[in-house]
Structure formats: structure tokens, C-alpha cells
């Protein structure tokens, strides 16, 4: 009886070409996934930065609105008896405008006045808000200096007197300086236009509510 001839079993596996193809496919998938992840991260970072920027812009307008809504229409006497106007624009060239405002926060109920003087200035493309807690001391340095907004190319301000015939935003009667002759201590409205490097022009109109203080 003849013995069956046994042949060695063939090893099951991948050829070199198949390995190269598989590795190439995995490399393409890895690169594509990495690029997709990078784009997603960049988009998320860009979105966060944009939201922060919008938040700073909105906060700037909110501070301007609060200061103008609490404007006090009575001039004050300085430490040396000189008269400080209730609202002045521009103020000594350095400031876009300065105004007396009431309603300064006093959470600890300290025995002090709620009156303050605030001024807005543009320096090196940055908009600043300065505040004096001793509003009558015109020579004193600001008590606080707050950085509001960067990348600011220009800030324009126009005031509307109460006697103006056309109170519309783009109508006649607006003045680039305040006070003007035969005008009240406070204007009826203030129009502010801020030109930003990344957002262009943004304009807001603020009505002035006379506050007795």
C-alpha cells in the first residue's frame, strides 16, 4: 500500500504589495483625519475669538450708554475755582469727550458722592475710558483707566442741541464741538461712530436724559 504524499501547508498571509497598499490607505486616512481635525480646531478658535471681539464691542457701547444716560447737566467748580463744563467735546484734544455722571456704584455704602467724571480717549489705536472719583480736581490723574477696545482706527462724535430743527441721525443741526453758543449744558443727543480695523464703521445714537444732581 502506497503512503500518501504530504505536501507542506501553504502559509496564509499578505504579500508585500498588499502590505504596502494597506499601509498607504491607512496613511491617507490618518492624514485626512488630521487635516479635518485641524480645520475643526481652527474654526472653533476663530469662532471663540470672534465672540470675544463682539463681546468687547458690545461692552464698549454699553459703557458709553450708561455714562451718557447718567450725564449730569450742571457744570462744577474745580479745585481752583475754575469752571468745568458738564459735557465737553473734544476735551483738551486728548479726550474725545468728558462728562459728569451720577450713579457711581457704591456697594459698600461708603460716605462719598456718587458723582464722577469720565473721559474717553483714543491712544495707539486703543480706546480707553478714564474715571475721576474726585470730579472737581481737573489736575489729578484718573482714578481708573480701563482699556475698552483695540484695533480702533477712528472715533467721531457729534452732538445735537435741543434747539435743532432736524433731530434725525443724518439730519442738520449736529455739531462736532460742545458746548456751542446759546446751548444747554447737555446736548439732546450724541452720535458716536467708531471705525474698527476688522469691522468697519459702527454708529450708535444716544439720547441724553437730563439728571438732576
Amino acid at each position: 500500500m502506497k503512503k500518501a504524499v504530504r505536501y507542506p501547508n501553504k502559509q496564509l498571509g499578505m504579500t508585500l504589495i498588499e502590505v504596502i497598499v494597506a499601509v498607504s490607505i491607512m496613511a491617507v486616512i490618518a492624514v485626512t483625519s488630521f487635516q479635518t481635525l485641524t480645520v475643526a480646531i481652527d474654526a472653533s478658535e476663530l469662532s471663540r475669538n470672534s465672540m470675544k471681539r463682539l463681546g468687547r464691542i458690545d461692552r464698549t457701547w454699553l459703557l458709553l450708554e450708561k455714562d451718557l444716560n447718567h450725564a449730569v447737566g450742571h457744570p462744577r467748580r474745580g479745585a481752583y475755582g475754575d469752571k468745568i463744563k458738564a459735557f465737553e467735546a473734544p476735551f483738551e484734544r486728548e479726550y474725545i469727550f468728558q462728562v459728569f455722571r451720577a450713579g457711581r456704584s457704591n456697594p459698600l455704602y461708603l460716605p462719598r458722592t456718587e458723582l464722577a467724571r469720565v473721559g474717553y480717549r483714543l491712544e495707539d489705536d486703543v480706546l480707553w475710558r478714564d474715571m475721576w472719583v474726585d470730579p472737581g480736581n481737573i489736575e489729578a490723574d484718573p482714578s481708573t483707566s480701563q482699556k475698552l477696545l483695540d484695533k480702533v482706527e477712528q472715533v467721531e462724535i457729534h452732538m445735537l442741541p435741543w434747539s435743532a430743527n432736524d433731530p434725525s441721525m443724518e439730519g442738520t443741526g449736529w455739531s462736532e464741538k460742545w458746548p456751542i453758543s446759546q446751548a444747554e449744558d447737555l446736548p439732546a443727543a450724541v452720535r458716536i461712530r467708531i471705525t474698527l480695523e476688522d469691522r468697519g464703521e459702527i454708529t450708535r445714537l444716544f439720547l441724553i436724559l437730563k439728571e438732576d444732581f
Side-chain angles (χ1 to χ4, degrees):
M1 185 176 181
K2 295 182 178 181
K3 293 182 179 181
V5 179
R6 295 183 178 181
Y7 297 95
N9 294 332
K10 293 183 178 180
Q11 294 182 353
L12 299 178
M14 299 178 63
T15 65
L16 179 59
I17 295 178
E18 291 174 334
V19 172
I20 294 174
V21 172
V23 171
S24 300
I25 293 174
M26 292 178 62
V28 171
I29 294 174
V31 170
T32 304
S33 301
F34 179 77
Q35 290 177 343
T36 303
L37 179 62
T38 301
V39 171
I41 293 175
D42 291 343
S44 178
E45 184 69 19
L46 184 62
S47 177
R48 284 197 297 268
N49 291 337
S50 180
M51 292 301 296
K52 289 180 181 178
R53 178 67 169 169
L54 289 175
R56 286 192 293 268
I57 294 173
D58 289 342
R59 187 167 179 268
T60 298
W61 288 121
L62 181 61
L63 283 172
L64 282 163
E65 181 180 20
K66 285 185 176 181
D67 287 338
L68 294 173
N69 281 347
H70 289 86
V72 177
H74 300 291
R76 292 294 189 270
R77 291 289 178 182
Y80 301 100
D82 50 331
K83 183 178 180 181
I84 307 174
K85 300 177 179 64
F87 186 101
E88 189 168 1
F91 182 86
E92 294 183 352
R93 298 182 182 179
E94 179 182 359
Y95 285 90
I96 301 165
F97 76 89
Q98 283 196 13
V99 61
F100 284 109
R101 60 152 295 175
R104 182 162 63 96
S105 177
N106 188 11
L108 299 179
Y109 300 100
L110 300 175
R112 62 166 173 79
T113 178
E114 294 184 359
L115 184 68
R117 181 164 50 91
V118 296
Y120 287 79
R121 57 185 169 90
L122 184 62
E123 182 178 342
D124 296 330
D125 297 331
V126 176
L127 183 62
W128 293 81
R129 176 184 182 267
D130 294 339
M131 183 174 71
W132 294 261
V133 296
D134 183 7
N137 191 352
I138 198 68
E139 301 296 334
D141 293 330
S143 304
T144 59
S145 293
Q146 186 177 7
K147 181 180 178 180
L148 298 180
L149 205 56
D150 58 358
K151 299 180 182 179
V152 180
E153 295 181 345
Q154 187 179 14
V155 179
E156 301 174 68
I157 182 170
H158 295 86
M159 286 64 62
L160 185 72
W162 291 90
S163 58
N165 296 323
D166 188 353
S168 64
M169 181 177 290
E170 300 298 338
T172 59
W174 292 92
S175 174
E176 295 180 355
K177 295 183 179 181
W178 194 270
I180 58 177
S181 59
Q182 299 179 350
E184 292 80 1
D185 291 325
L186 292 177
V190 175
R191 182 182 66 199
I192 300 177
R193 179 179 292 117
I194 300 178
T195 303
L196 301 174
E197 179 183 321
D198 55 343
R199 301 280 175 173
E201 292 184 358
I202 307 176
T203 303
R204 293 289 185 272
L205 179 64
F206 303 98
L207 300 179
I208 303 297
L209 303 175
K210 292 184 177 181
E211 186 165 340
D212 190 13
F213 192 86

